Amino acid sequence: MTDLSTRPRPADPGDPSDLTAQAAAALLASNRRRRRIRRWIAVGTLPLTLAALLFVGKILSMYAFAHQSITAYVADDYAGSEAAARGQDFLNWFEPFKAPFNIGTALAGAEKLPEARAELEESLELASGLEVCTVRINLALVLERMGDAARADGDGAAAAELFGEALTVTTEMPEECDSEEAQEQSSDPDRDMQQSTDDLEDRLKQKQQSEQQTPPEEEQPEEEPQPQPSEDKLDELEDKLEQGTQERDQQQGDDGGGSGTDKPW
């Protein structure tokens, strides 16, 4: 027979100590669930957080490189301007035309005209809307300077071709470029874009026409006829020649035919 006094007594539902233990256990379990949820949220949002940081860093670096490039260009530090502009070229998602535009402008300042042309042509392909206005003006200016260099080297045909290409770039300028909005977006707000374009077109037309005109042939001066000696003069020269021959023969006879060098006349 079992002693009832040794059996464990069932917990009293109304015991305060048991209620406290149950509440503590439930709180711990809830905290563990919340920590797991926070951990999974952190892991899940980590790529988004990194992308956001990269996005902000890229924007800040673009403005920093752009400011540095402009500052160096104004100070005639074209090498520094080019280096800063190339910093914009990395992961250039937002305004892809600006990096080659700034690089080409810096190269043009350093008189590296063929390289500048290549960069500006790339910028023109990437530009859209009003962005093409400033790119076209700078590209036309570079082509004009290349034409000037060819003309200075005496290559008129190449100069005329380059002037024609520059003129094509300006004449294909969209009508939207002649607007206040385009002027506000210009890389040089102090420059009147429409007036600059008109002046550039007029200048290119004059240069192209001057190279295409064939220079007039220089007239060869007519040779004046040489005066012919008179008969009296010819007779006098003939007498002198005969007299000289006689004197030489006489001298050779006196010398006994010895060898020697004839004296010049």
Side-chain angles (χ1 to χ4, degrees), residues 10 30 77 96 101 116 138 185 228-229 233 237 241 249:
S30 177
D77 180 11
F101 173 78
N138 280 19
Q185 294 188 14
Q228 298 295 330
K233 190 70 173 177
L237 291 173
L241 180 60
D249 293 340

Side-chain angles (χ1 to χ4, degrees), residues 9-15 18:
R9 291 182 298 175
D12 187 1
D15 190 351
D18 292 339

Side-chain angles (χ1 to χ4, degrees), residues 151-174:
R151 182 173 59 181
D153 292 338
D155 193 348
E161 182 178 356
L162 287 165
F163 292 145
E165 292 179 8
L167 189 59
T168 301
V169 171
T170 57
T171 54
E172 292 179 353
M173 190 91 69

